[in-house]
Amino acid sequence: MAGNQVSIHGQWSSRWVFILAATGSAVGLGNIWRFPYVTGENGGGAFVLVYLACVLTVGLPIMMAEILIGRRGRQSPINSMKDLASAEGKDSSWQAVGWLGVAAGFLILSFYSVVAGWSVAYVFQVGAGSFNEVTAESSSQYFDALTGSANRLTLWHSIFMLMVIAVVARGVQGGLEKAVKWLMPALFVLLVVMVGYAATTGDFAGAFKYLFEPDFSKINGDTILAALGQAFFSLSLGMGSIIVYGAYLSKNASIPQTALIIGGVDTLVALLAGLAIFPIVFAYGLEPGSGAGLVFVSLTIAFGQMPGGQLFGSLFFMLLTVAAWTSAISLLEPVTAWLVESQKWNRIKAAFVAGFGAWLVGMGSVLSFNLWQDLKVSGKNFFDWSEFLSTTIMLPLGGLCIALFAGWAMSKSSTAEELESSAIVIGAWRILVRYVAPLGVVAIFLNAIGVIQ
């Protein structure tokens, strides 16, 4: 396989569009609050240095592997893995890696759409002034009322999923590319506006110290494991998104340079999000590590008391919605592409069937917050199991298999032909993807299931 064929789905018009799309896939709801919080709790600037080292040694080698697999296969992850394994004379069972990634992305989309629906709901509620002068008790009651209502959650889950389907159904250049050309600049503008707002109304100095003042005494084994996990998950690896986006990348684009830019922009966005959120957190004495509670309960209290909080609070939840939207379209694209290729469906039908399937599975997560909240297996409800199986089991396993396939199953000549870089860069990548990255992903997996702490 020469790797010079063109995807039947189309091609990105430029490398920068691919960078916007891949960065949009990587930047999601978790990045907006989790990365800054983990950074602050694990040594600030010292953790950032450890994180960047983990990105370079584990995250980027696997990202480069996913891009080159996608570009060489020019199909959905499932069919790319199938054809590349055949071309390399390897067992056809490698196709299961593609299935694993697509299934993981599909499962993540099902519950991700539910949580993203909260953001859409809050755009309108905060903008309407529902949280003006709100108290801690009433803010918590509103969030509980939202998640406790199966009908309201279904409505917002449905609206968000339709937003995702509408983009994917229009194809690569007509849908995905047009969306990221508008949404990613909008995300950056919203981030900058929120950082400026936080700098003038919050405790910017305290937030900057929290995020960037190095405290090397906090660097230990747990910190390194946290940095490894954040580096892997923040780059949207193991879920088929980067592979299918790579399938639409021009042969002329440099994979190493492109991956490096994506990693850098993803980190920049996460740190800017920290500078947008934590000045407000510290100015109002909020708990920085409270996760969804921080975003949907605590921050709404602060916005309700701050000057201009109604407007900027609405903009903040618009930022969350945009981040979720760009991630979600990358989760629906792999299964849509496979349906077009293998079932010979048109893209509109494939996107709607795939989106409806994810919506239907997501209804289990909707009901987990209300009617099914007491229905648990081993202490986990449907939402908990969906998250655990996809992010704790399937993603690390998929990332590990991708590294092994690119590093060991594919020939050196095949990977070098796609990377098109110097012998030093290719040699360093092969060492990292063959030895370092797999060990890093195994450590992430063992830490996630509690074998190592």
Side-chain angles (χ1 to χ4, degrees):
M1 178 177 289
N4 56 4
Q5 69 269 32
V6 177
S7 169
I8 65 170
H9 308 287
Q11 185 170 290
W12 304 114
S13 62
S14 71
R15 180 179 68 144
W16 285 104
V17 173
F18 169 73
I19 290 171
L20 287 177
T23 304
S25 174
V27 175
L29 294 174
N31 289 63
I32 300 297
W33 66 266
R34 188 178 186 275
F35 178 82
Y37 161 63
V38 172
T39 297
E41 289 294 288
N42 288 278
F47 175 82
V48 173
L49 293 176
V50 176
Y51 168 78
L52 290 175
C54 292
V55 167
L56 290 171
T57 57
V58 176
L60 292 188
I62 296 178
M63 173 173 276
M64 289 167 62
E66 293 201 8
I67 296 172
L68 76 84
I69 287 172
R71 190 167 72 176
R72 195 163 185 83
R74 293 295 186 190
Q75 299 174 87
S76 66
I78 296 168
N79 289 329
S80 285
M81 290 297 299
K82 175 184 177 181
D83 287 358
L84 290 182
S86 175
E88 298 289 345
K90 305 301 180 183
D91 193 275
S92 60
S93 60
W94 279 107
Q95 182 184 5
V97 179
W99 280 106
L100 180 64
V102 171
F106 182 85
L107 187 56
I108 291 171
L109 176 61
S110 73
F111 66 80
Y112 194 80
S113 175
V114 178
V115 178
W118 303 349
S119 297
V120 181
Y122 269 69
V123 170
F124 296 100
Q125 291 301 316
V126 175
S130 300
F131 293 93
N132 290 351
E133 304 299 329
V134 72
T135 65
E137 181 180 4
S138 56
S139 180
S140 181
Q141 286 175 347
Y142 178 86
F143 182 69
D144 292 340
L146 173 64
T147 57
S149 171
N151 290 336
R152 290 177 66 188
L153 278 194
T154 300
L155 171 65
W156 295 113
H157 168 47
S158 302
I159 289 173
F160 183 80
M161 190 64 76
L162 285 173
M163 290 165 56
V164 176
I165 293 171
V167 172
V168 175
R170 293 177 61 84
V172 176
Q173 291 196 352
L176 302 176
E177 179 165 320
K178 283 187 176 180
V180 298
K181 277 184 174 180
W182 284 98
L183 293 177
M184 288 308 293
L187 184 145
F188 283 109
V189 169
L190 287 170
L191 259 181
V192 172
V193 169
M194 289 302 303
V195 169
Y197 175 69
T200 55
T201 58
D203 183 4
F204 194 79
F208 195 89
K209 179 179 179 181
Y210 178 79
L211 286 170
F212 296 111
E213 183 175 277
D215 183 358
F216 290 98
S217 67
K218 290 188 177 181
I219 302 300
N220 52 36
D222 291 339
T223 306
I224 295 173
L225 286 172
L228 271 173
Q230 187 66 36
F232 181 82
F233 293 115
S234 71
L235 292 177
S236 194
L237 303 176
M239 59 185 72
S241 300
I242 301 300
I243 291 180
V244 78
Y245 277 8
Y248 312 147
L249 181 64
S250 165
K251 180 66 177 175
N252 298 324
S254 167
I255 291 178
Q257 290 179 8
T258 301
L260 192 62
I261 293 171
I262 293 168
V265 175
D266 178 61
T267 303
L268 176 63
V269 169
L271 291 174
L272 283 175
L275 293 176
I277 293 174
F278 288 105
I280 300 172
V281 169
F282 293 132
Y284 286 83
L286 306 177
E287 171 54 49
S290 53
L294 168 68
V295 173
F296 293 100
V297 178
S298 300
L299 278 180
T300 53
I301 302 170
F303 285 128
Q305 299 172 3
M306 300 174 72
Q310 184 173 332
L311 170 62
F312 286 96
S314 184
L315 289 177
F316 172 76
F317 285 104
M318 195 177 297
L319 167 67
L320 285 184
T321 299
V322 170
W325 198 2
T326 57
S327 293
I329 60 176
S330 75
L331 295 172
L332 184 59
E333 177 63 18
V335 65
T336 300
W338 179 78
L339 288 172
V340 171
E341 295 164 4
S342 300
Q343 303 303 313
K344 309 305 179 185
W345 290 356
N346 64 57
R347 177 166 275 269
I348 294 176
K349 178 181 178 180
F352 270 90
V353 169
F356 176 75
W359 176 89
L360 194 61
V361 175
M363 286 302 300
S365 293
V366 165
L367 298 175
S368 296
F369 292 97
N370 37 76
L371 300 180
W372 290 358
Q373 61 182 333
D374 297 323
L375 185 61
K376 298 182 178 180
V377 177
S378 299
K380 290 182 173 64
N381 59 28
F382 189 92
F383 176 88
D384 297 329
W385 274 113
S386 296
E387 184 178 31
F388 175 79
L389 290 173
S390 58
T391 62
T392 306
I393 306 296
M394 299 169 77
L395 291 191
L397 182 58
L400 174 63
C401 291
I402 288 294
L404 295 177
F405 181 77
W408 295 94
M410 293 185 71
S411 67
K412 185 176 181 179
S413 60
S414 295
T415 54
E417 185 178 332
E418 289 301 322
L419 293 177
E420 289 186 327
S421 192
S422 67
I424 295 176
V425 171
I426 295 174
W429 173 80
R430 282 180 63 81
I431 291 173
L432 292 173
V433 83
R434 283 181 144 208
Y435 305 104
V436 179
L439 289 175
V441 176
V442 169
I444 293 167
F445 175 72
L446 295 179
N447 180 56
I449 63 175
V451 174
I452 58 174
Q453 298 293 336

